[in-house]
Amino acid sequence: MDEIIKIDHLTKDYGEGRGIFDFNFSIKKGEIYGLVGTNGSGKTTTMRLLCGFLSPDSGYAKINGLNCRRNSDKIMKVTGYVPGEIDFPDVGSGTSFLKLQAQYLGVKDMTYTEELIDRFKIDTSAPLKRMSKGMKQKMALVAAFMAKPDILLLDEPSTGLDPVMRDALIELILEQKDRGATVFMSSHIFKELEDTCDKVTFIHNGKMIDTISREMHTDDLPKLYRIGFAREDEYKAFKEHTSLAVQGANDKYKHLTVTVPANEMNELVQRLSGYEMRYVRYVPYSLEMYYKIVIEQGGIA
């Protein structure tokens, strides 16, 4: 089956505008798909609906053709899941917990598990309940990845990790893609999504705003330029009278960041010809920049 995860008109309404509303997307086998949004935008609710922990008010979520709510036990048996809030059972040490997890998942060879433990530098002999937040997060990652599942649901998987361990996680996620696994992850770290995802959906206040892919850098997209002015009066004049969308302004250093439609670059050069410039620099698009323009500033004009 090419379509591993399918979400169709999925809605979970908690009232007072909270929840998720009319989500629609699908994830193909071998894709890494990301979800990004502010706290409370619906990332964890979406994950819990996919795990079958919640009942939708309308629409449905399916994994491998199975309804997530009705077949949660079958789905979670073959899915690696990192929850947004880690809460381990009181089973003593990390070693004890991983042994129980291995029994549940049918993992008999612990070689890969030991490799993950070494990669994330975990002392599994320590009591679970006394582990730091970062160490608990690493334990949750080992538990999710140890059976090499074909599907991974990762809710803010790098929470509590330092930059070195975050890089180790990114490498691990990309390895899953190489072996053909399908990964759905949420994150508030744009670089994490940028380094891993084939597609990213932006959500805001429980609604899907936009979905972009690695092909977002097309010739048709508006371009961002940072323009530095030599004179303050010219900086203020251009800022006040330009018809371009200003995405950022720094009065101290007299520079603007503007959106330039793809077919208006020549016009920009002509407009600037009468000004004394310090520089004009192209600003490559990033997920964070795109997010700020589309969500925080209401979209690209």
Side-chain angles (χ1 to χ4, degrees):
M1 178 184 293
D2 189 40
E3 192 175 72
I4 301 299
I5 296 175
K6 173 71 173 177
I7 283 182
D8 188 270
H9 297 289
L10 190 65
T11 296
K12 180 65 178 178
D13 189 350
Y14 296 118
E16 299 181 353
R18 297 177 299 112
I20 66 169
F21 305 93
D22 201 35
F23 275 25
N24 292 279
F25 60 86
S26 61
I27 307 173
K28 295 180 180 179
K29 178 177 174 57
E31 275 191 329
I32 303 178
Y33 197 110
L35 199 64
V36 65
T38 55
N39 290 337
S41 58
K43 299 189 298 295
T44 294
T45 293
T46 305
M47 287 287 180
R48 289 177 176 170
L49 286 163
L50 280 168
C51 292
F53 301 155
L54 299 173
S55 294
D57 292 315
S58 61
Y60 64 81
K62 289 184 177 181
I63 293 179
N64 280 337
L66 298 173
N67 183 283
C68 291
R69 182 58 175 173
R70 293 197 293 266
N71 300 278
S72 178
D73 55 338
K74 294 179 182 178
I75 290 170
M76 297 310 294
K77 194 79 173 180
V78 296
T79 299
Y81 172 55
V82 175
E85 297 180 8
I86 309 298
D87 186 18
F88 290 117
D90 190 5
V91 294
S93 69
T95 302
S96 299
F97 168 71
L98 290 177
K99 284 181 178 178
L100 289 171
Q101 186 74 357
Q103 291 174 10
Y104 171 73
L105 297 173
V107 176
K108 294 181 172 56
D109 183 353
M110 297 292 281
T111 303
Y112 185 61
T113 303
E114 293 297 333
E115 180 186 322
L116 292 172
I117 291 169
D118 183 63
R119 181 182 290 198
F120 286 111
K121 304 185 186 326
I122 306 172
D123 176 11
T124 59
S125 66
L128 271 176
K129 293 296 184 180
R130 295 184 184 177
M131 286 184 178
S132 66
K133 182 176 181 179
M135 199 61 68
K136 288 180 179 178
Q137 189 71 21
K138 291 190 279 187
M139 284 291 298
L141 289 168
V142 172
F145 285 83
M146 63 189 292
K148 296 184 179 179
D150 290 334
I151 302 162
L152 286 148
L153 302 178
L154 312 176
D155 191 0
E156 301 276 5
S158 66
T159 298
L161 299 185
D162 62 42
V164 173
M165 290 295 100
R166 190 175 298 133
D167 287 344
L169 172 61
I170 288 172
E171 182 180 1
L172 180 61
I173 291 171
L174 292 174
E175 287 173 7
Q176 310 314 302
K177 178 181 175 63
D178 288 343
R179 67 175 179 82
T182 304
V183 182
F184 180 56
M185 62 185 290
S186 69
S187 179
H188 63 281
I189 301 171
F190 290 98
K191 188 177 185 303
E192 191 171 272
L193 297 171
E194 206 162 55
D195 287 348
T196 56
C197 292
D198 299 297
K199 292 181 180 177
V200 175
T201 287
F202 297 101
I203 61 175
H204 189 60
N205 292 335
K207 297 178 181 178
M208 293 180 63
I209 304 299
D210 199 7
T211 298
I212 62 171
S213 68
R214 286 195 174 274
E215 292 73 42
M216 65 175 286
H217 305 278
T218 67
D219 292 338
D220 296 331
L221 273 176
K223 302 295 189 290
L224 287 175
Y225 287 89
R226 184 166 291 129
I227 306 169
F229 294 82
R231 294 169 46 184
E232 185 171 0
D233 60 334
E234 292 188 346
Y235 161 74
K236 290 181 176 178
F238 188 91
K239 178 183 175 182
E240 182 177 349
H241 299 295
T242 183
S243 60
L244 297 172
V246 176
Q247 307 300 342
N250 189 310
D251 294 342
K252 180 178 179 180
Y253 295 104
K254 301 185 293 294
H255 71 232
L256 301 172
T257 302
V258 298
T259 302
V260 183
N263 60 349
E264 293 186 16
M265 187 57 202
N266 289 338
E267 292 182 31
L268 174 64
V269 173
Q270 291 174 3
R271 291 179 205 175
L272 294 176
S273 62
Y275 292 85
E276 187 177 347
M277 312 301 305
R278 288 190 294 122
Y279 59 81
V280 178
R281 295 173 185 161
Y282 172 63
V283 181
Y285 266 112
S286 65
L287 281 178
E288 185 171 7
M289 181 68 73
Y290 196 87
Y291 178 88
K292 287 179 178 178
I293 293 173
V294 171
I295 294 182
E296 294 182 4
Q297 300 185 22
I300 297 175

